[in-house]
C-alpha cells in the first residue's frame, strides 16, 4: 500500500478527475456532501470552506495504491475500511470527503478528496504529512498482510526519461556494488567501471567529508537524492558493516580450522598411543607362558642330550 499526497485550492478539478467516467470510477464512500451530482458535491465542499476563508489550499487529495498481487482481496468494502483507517491515523476526521475507486490502471487504487476545513471550521494540519503517511502505510500493510512493493524496485525503467533514467541507473549500481564492497577504494573502482564518477563534499577547509555527489552522463545527483540510503554517512556505515562481517567470517573460519586441527591432532595421538600399546601387548610374553615354554625347551634339550 502506497499513498501519494496532493493539495490544491479548487475542488472542481479534483472532483471531476476522481469521478471521471472514463476511468470506470465507482464512488464507494462519502461523508458530509450531497452525492446526487458532481456539481452538488463540489458545491458542498465549497460551502464548508467559508467557515475559514483565510486558508488558501483547502483541497486534500490522496491516492492509495495497492499491489496487483492483492487484487482478489480488495473488495470495495475492504478498500473503504482501509481508507477510513488511514484517514483516521492521519488526523483527517470530522470533515467532508469522498472516496472514488478507479479501474483505469493495472493496480487497484482509490482517490480520496477531503476538505482541509473541518466541520468546526478548523484547519486539518498537514505538518509532516508525508512522513506520517509512509509510516501509516507500512503499519496497515503489515496489519492486513498486504504485499508491499518498494518504490524503486518496481520502476519500469524503459519508461523513464532523463535525468530520471540516469538517476535510476546510479541507484541500481550503488545497490549492487555497496553490497559487495568492504571499503571506499573498492567501491570507487567498481562504480568507475559503471561510468559513475564520485565527488566528495568537505566541511569548510577540513578533510572531514560531509556529503557525496554521483555523476554520470553529464548529470549530478547528491547521494540522498538518488536514495535516502545513499548519503555519505549511510554508505560509509554500510561499508564498515560489510568489512566487519567479513572479518567475523574469517575469524570464524580460522577458529574452525584450529578446532579441526586440534581434534585431528588428538585423534592422531590416540591412534599412535593405541598402536604402541597394541604392539607392546603382542611383543611381551606373559610370565606364565614364558615359564611354560622355557620348561618345554629344557625338556627337549635333555631329551636330545640323552
Amino acid at each position: 500500500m502506497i499513498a501519494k499526497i496532493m493539495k490544491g485550492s479548487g475542488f472542481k478539478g479534483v472532483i471531476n478527475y476522481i469521478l471521471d467516467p472514463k476511468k470506470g470510477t465507482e464512488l464507494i464512500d462519502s461523508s458530509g456532501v450531497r452525492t446526487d451530482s458532481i456539481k452538488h458535491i463540489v458545491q458542498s465542499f465549497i460551502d464548508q470552506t467559508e467557515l475559514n476563508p483565510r486558508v488558501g489550499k483547502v483541497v486534500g487529495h490522496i491516492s492509495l495504491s495497492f499491489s496487483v498481487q492483492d487484487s482478489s482481496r480488495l473488495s470495495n468494502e475492504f478498500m473503504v475500511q482501509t481508507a477510513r483507517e488511514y484517514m483516521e491515523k492521519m488526523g483527517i476526521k470530522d470533515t467532508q470527503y469522498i472516496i472514488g475507486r478507479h479501474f483505469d490502471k493495472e493496480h487497484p487504487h482509490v482517490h480520496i478528496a477531503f476538505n482541509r476545513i473541518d466541520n468546526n471550521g478548523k484547519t486539518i494540519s498537514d505538518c509532516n504529512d508525508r512522513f506520517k503517511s509512509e509510516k501509516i502505510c507500512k503499519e496497515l500493510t503489515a496489519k492486513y498482510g498486504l504485499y508491499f512493493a518498494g518504490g524503486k524496485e518496481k520502476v519500469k525503467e524503459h519508461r523513464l526519461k532523463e535525468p530520471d533514467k540516469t538517476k535510476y541507473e546510479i541507484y541500481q549500481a550503488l545497490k549492487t556494488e555497496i553490497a559487495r564492497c568492504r571499503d571506499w577504494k573498492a567501491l570507487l573502482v567498481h562504480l568507475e567501471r559503471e561510468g559513475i564518477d564520485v565527488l566528495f563534499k568537505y566541511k569548510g577547509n577540513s578533510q572531514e567529508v560531509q556529503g557525496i555527489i554521483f555523476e554520470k552522463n553529464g548529470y549530478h545527483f547528491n547521494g540522498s537524492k538518488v536514495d535516502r540510503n545513499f548519503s555519505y554517512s549511510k554508505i560509509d556505515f554500510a561499508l564498515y558493516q560489510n568489512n566487519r562481517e567479513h572479518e567475523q567470517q574469517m575469524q570464524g573460519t580460522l577458529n574452525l580450522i584450529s578446532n579441526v586441527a586440534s581434534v585431528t591432532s588428538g585423534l592422531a595421538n590416540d591412534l599412535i598411543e593405541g598402536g604402541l600399546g597394541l604392539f607392546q601387548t603382542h611383543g611381551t610374553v606373559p610370565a606364565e607362558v614364558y615359564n611354560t615354554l622355557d620348561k618345554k625347551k629344557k625338556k627337549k634339550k635333555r631329551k636330545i642330550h640323552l
Side-chain angles (χ1 to χ4, degrees):
M1 175 178 164
I2 299 173
K4 182 178 180 182
I5 300 175
M6 296 151 278
K7 289 181 280 288
S9 56
F11 281 101
K12 183 176 180 179
V14 70
I15 300 303
N16 281 326
Y17 173 78
I18 292 176
L19 300 180
D20 186 354
K22 295 179 181 178
K23 300 182 182 299
T25 304
E26 289 184 20
L27 181 62
I28 59 176
D29 194 25
S30 65
S31 177
V33 296
R34 292 178 59 186
T35 58
D36 52 320
S37 69
I38 291 179
K39 181 179 179 180
H40 285 155
I41 292 174
V42 172
Q43 192 59 51
S44 296
F45 279 115
I46 293 174
D47 289 344
Q48 184 150 304
T49 62
E50 294 177 2
L51 296 175
N52 194 341
R54 294 172 298 176
V55 179
K57 293 187 176 181
V58 293
V59 181
H61 178 197
I62 300 172
S63 65
L64 297 180
S65 299
F66 302 80
S67 171
V68 176
Q69 298 188 42
D70 292 320
S71 295
S72 61
R73 300 178 52 194
L74 299 177
S75 63
N76 286 350
E77 292 75 19
F78 178 82
M79 295 183 90
V80 167
Q81 176 186 339
T82 307
R84 285 179 179 177
E85 194 168 347
Y86 170 86
M87 287 192 289
E88 178 72 21
K89 289 177 177 291
M90 285 289 291
I92 303 169
K93 49 190 176 181
D94 299 322
T95 193
Q96 301 166 308
Y97 69 82
I98 65 166
I99 302 176
R101 181 172 185 174
H102 283 183
F103 294 89
D104 60 328
K105 303 288 184 183
E106 183 182 13
H107 64 279
H109 62 289
V110 296
H111 287 266
I112 304 168
F114 66 92
N115 202 328
R116 292 192 61 235
I117 307 301
D118 71 15
N119 300 334
N120 300 309
K122 296 180 180 179
T123 306
I124 294 175
S125 174
D126 60 354
C127 181
N128 296 321
D129 57 354
R130 285 174 173 79
F131 174 78
K132 289 194 297 184
S133 176
E134 182 178 355
K135 181 180 178 182
I136 292 166
C137 283
K138 289 179 179 178
E139 289 176 359
L140 293 176
T141 297
K143 177 180 178 179
Y144 293 111
L146 299 172
Y147 178 83
F148 184 77
K152 292 186 178 66
E153 305 304 319
K154 293 295 179 180
V155 168
K156 296 181 179 178
E157 191 173 357
H158 65 281
R159 294 185 179 179
L160 294 176
K161 297 181 180 179
E162 296 294 4
D164 290 333
K165 185 175 184 297
T166 295
K167 184 194 288 188
Y168 187 70
E169 290 173 358
I170 294 174
Y171 165 82
Q172 291 284 46
L174 287 171
K175 181 179 144 195
T176 301
E177 302 303 339
I178 290 173
R180 68 171 67 169
C181 293
R182 302 197 307 270
D183 55 53
W184 279 101
K185 183 178 180 181
L187 178 61
L188 294 179
V189 170
H190 287 201
L191 291 178
E192 186 176 4
R193 291 173 185 165
E194 299 290 334
I196 300 172
D197 293 325
V198 180
L199 302 173
F200 295 97
K201 295 189 292 184
Y202 296 91
K203 186 176 182 180
N205 296 321
S206 69
Q207 293 299 310
E208 181 183 348
V209 179
Q210 65 174 176
I212 191 167
I213 298 173
F214 299 101
E215 179 182 357
K216 183 177 182 180
N217 299 332
Y219 297 103
H220 299 75
F221 304 97
N222 289 333
S224 57
K225 295 296 183 182
V226 175
D227 188 88
R228 60 186 178 182
N229 290 319
F230 296 150
S231 64
Y232 171 78
S233 61
K234 290 186 177 180
I235 294 175
D236 192 57
F237 182 73
L239 295 175
Y240 167 77
Q241 288 289 89
N242 291 348
N243 188 55
R244 185 179 178 185
E245 289 174 5
H246 175 74
E247 289 179 348
Q248 290 174 343
Q249 289 174 357
M250 290 296 294
Q251 187 60 49
T253 302
L254 291 174
N255 291 340
L256 179 62
I257 293 173
S258 176
N259 291 337
V260 170
S262 177
V263 171
T264 304
S265 176
L267 288 172
N269 289 336
D270 290 343
L271 287 171
I272 292 170
E273 291 176 1
L276 288 174
L278 196 62
F279 174 76
Q280 290 170 356
T281 300
H282 287 285
T284 303
V285 181
E288 61 271 17
V289 176
Y290 178 81
N291 293 333
T292 303
L293 289 172
D294 189 51
K295 288 178 181 178
K296 287 182 178 179
K297 285 180 180 178
K298 287 180 180 179
K299 286 180 180 178
K300 285 181 179 179
K301 283 182 180 179
R302 290 193 193 103
K303 247 178 169 183
I304 291 171
H305 284 290
L306 289 172

